[in-house]
């Protein structure tokens, strides 16, 4: 195998992103070298390049991007057992170190490369019939909404829910809420294609945010409102609109990330009805494993989630396409 490889590297000081030759990594003790077959492009990658996000724990100025990664085991480090070369796997999007979550492709090198190193504990086997392009998006694009549904909100069957923002995470949220038995499911997005996608993925009603959403929601729920309103957009007007749709004891679940302040316009009403705001970030390793099991047993189909693939050399073009929402993608995937 060659001693160098291509990798998509970001200088977090200058925000310059370039695909270039770098030394091929070698797995250390307890680590596994993965030959990358597919890596997702996430909006947080766009935010890293644009400077809206910065690593907390990165050593140095450069990092290989990519936290959604799948491929095959290429080499085992000392002390690693239970894995064989050629095994099909995906990688968890991060891991806990010294009590803090370190994110792959942010705080340490990720998978926009021909090879990636992972600690053995973050390697997850995948079924032979799950394409790499679909497998790679499970840790984040699918696991983040899944965790927000089953851990943060703890949605129960027949609870009415709303999803604001039907992009890479919101589209999966609709699909997973349907799987979890939520009913009805209301989707809100300004893009007609996104609203149609929400209906295709299982929403009962898809609305433009310019409509009187609160009135439409209460008509659909017999006047009650939503048990949970999931914000995948991270935009202040979305959050204000979502709060107005909540039922008594209902909760706004903040999944889309933003540093903008959150404003509750009618605090007395919010308190009187016992409403809540729940913050959510990422997922835990078990959520990824649950989703792989759901795929393995044909409860979850991710075939509609891949909006396009492109070679590693064109990673910057993929970032631009996502930033411009060209073609309104769910997930674009790099195939090194």
């Amino acid at each position: 195998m060659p001693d160098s490889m291509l990798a998509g590297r970001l200088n977090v000081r200058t925000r310059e992103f370039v695909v270039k030759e770098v030394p091929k990594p070698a797995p250390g003790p307890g680590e596994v070298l993965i030959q990358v077959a597919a890596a997702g492009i996430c909006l947080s990658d766009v935010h890293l390049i644009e400077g809206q996000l910065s690593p907390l724990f990165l050593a140095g100025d450069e990092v290989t991007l990519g936290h959604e990664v799948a491929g095959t085991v290429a080499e085992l480090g000392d002390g690693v057992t239970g894995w064989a070369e050629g095994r099909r796997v995906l990688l968890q999007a991060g891991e806990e170190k010294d009590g803090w979550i370190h994110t792959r492709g942010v705080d340490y090198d990720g998978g926009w490369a021909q090879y990636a190193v992972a600690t053995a504990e973050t390697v997850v086997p995948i079924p032979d019939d799950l394409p790499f392009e679909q497998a790679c998006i499970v840790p984040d694009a699918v696991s983040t909404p899944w965790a927000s549904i089953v851990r943060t909100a703890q949605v129960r069957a027949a609870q009415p829910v709303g999803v604001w923002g039907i992009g890479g995470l919101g589209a999966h949220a609709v699909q997973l809420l349907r799987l979890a038995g939520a009913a009805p499911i209301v989707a809100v997005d300004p893009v007609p294609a996104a609203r149609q996608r929400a209906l295709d993925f299982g929403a009962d009603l898809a609305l433009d945010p310019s409509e009187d959403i609160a009135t439409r929601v209460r008509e659909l729920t017999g006047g009650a409102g939503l048990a949970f309103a999931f914000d995948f957009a991270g935009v202040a007007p979305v959050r204000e609109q979502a709060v107005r749709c909540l039922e008594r004891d209902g909760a706004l679940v903040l999944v889309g990330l933003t540093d903008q302040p959150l404003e509750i316009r009618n605090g007395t009403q919010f308190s009187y009805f016992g409403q809540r705001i729940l913050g959510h970030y990422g997922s835990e390793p078990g959520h990824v494993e649950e989703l792989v099991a759901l795929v393995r047993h044909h409860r979850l189909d991710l075939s509609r989630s891949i909006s396009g693939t492109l070679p590693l050399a064109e990673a910057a073009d993929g970032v631009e396409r996502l930033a411009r929402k060209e073609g309104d993608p769910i997930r674009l995937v790099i195939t090194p």
Side-chain angles (χ1 to χ4, degrees), residues 89-137:
V89 298
L90 61 75
L91 304 183
Q92 298 280 3
E95 58 187 302
E96 186 174 318
K97 298 179 182 180
D98 301 321
W100 298 93
I101 296 298
H102 291 229
T103 302
R104 189 182 309 279
V106 179
D107 297 306
Y108 60 98
D109 286 342
W112 288 11
Q114 291 173 294
Y115 291 89
V117 167
T119 56
E121 293 76 19
T122 64
V123 181
V124 179
I126 60 174
D128 290 341
D129 60 354
L130 176 58
F132 289 118
E133 291 83 357
Q134 297 174 34
C136 76
I137 70 169

Side-chain angles (χ1 to χ4, degrees), residues 48-299:
L48 277 166
I49 293 171
E50 292 179 345
Q52 292 136 290
L53 292 177
S54 294
L56 292 175
F57 305 106
L58 179 65
D61 290 335
E62 281 197 4
V63 66
T64 298
L65 297 184
H67 56 274
E68 297 180 339
V69 188
T72 55
V73 174
E75 188 180 339
L76 304 179
D78 290 343
V80 176
T81 60
W83 295 102
E85 291 184 15
R87 186 71 169 91
R88 305 174 82 254
V89 298
L90 61 75
L91 304 183
Q92 298 280 3
E95 58 187 302
E96 186 174 318
K97 298 179 182 180
D98 301 321
W100 298 93
I101 296 298
H102 291 229
T103 302
R104 189 182 309 279
V106 179
D107 297 306
Y108 60 98
D109 286 342
W112 288 11
Q114 291 173 294
Y115 291 89
V117 167
T119 56
E121 293 76 19
T122 64
V123 181
V124 179
I126 60 174
D128 290 341
D129 60 354
L130 176 58
F132 289 118
E133 291 83 357
Q134 297 174 34
C136 76
I137 70 169
V138 171
D140 188 20
V142 190
S143 67
T144 292
W146 178 244
S148 76
I149 293 164
V150 300
R151 183 191 69 196
T152 299
Q154 299 181 23
V155 173
R156 300 191 306 274
Q159 284 188 308
V161 299
V163 178
W164 272 257
I166 313 300
L169 273 67
H172 291 116
V174 170
Q175 191 176 13
L176 294 165
L177 283 163
R178 183 90 180 193
L179 185 63
I185 301 169
V186 179
V188 184
D189 197 289
V191 179
R195 295 197 295 274
Q196 182 57 53
R197 180 166 63 213
L199 295 172
D200 294 341
F201 275 42
D204 298 285
L205 183 65
L207 302 173
D208 187 298
S210 64
E211 299 181 53
D212 185 349
I213 304 295
T215 296
R216 295 294 302 276
V217 163
R218 296 191 192 284
E219 289 172 351
L220 186 65
T221 59
L226 302 175
F228 297 99
F230 292 85
D231 167 34
F232 287 92
V235 179
V238 159
R239 296 174 168 192
E240 294 170 14
Q241 186 177 69
V243 164
R244 293 196 296 272
C245 298
L246 294 176
E247 66 182 11
R248 288 176 179 267
D249 300 322
L252 170 65
V253 185
L254 306 180
V255 188
L257 302 179
T258 178
D259 290 329
Q260 296 303 307
L262 170 64
E263 183 174 327
I264 301 298
R265 292 188 181 277
N266 193 332
T268 300
Q269 178 178 295
F270 189 86
S271 296
Y272 180 79
F273 289 126
Q275 293 166 336
R276 297 162 292 147
I277 298 171
L278 304 174
H280 179 84
Y281 182 83
S283 62
E284 297 172 354
H287 295 120
V288 171
E289 293 162 8
E290 288 169 0
L291 290 164
V292 171
L294 288 169
V295 171
R296 177 181 287 115
H297 295 293
H298 307 291
R299 298 299 193 273

Side-chain angles (χ1 to χ4, degrees), residues 293-311:
L294 288 169
V295 171
R296 177 181 287 115
H297 295 293
H298 307 291
R299 298 299 193 273
L300 179 63
D301 178 12
L302 300 177
S303 61
R304 297 172 293 179
S305 299
I306 309 306
S307 304
T309 60
L310 60 161

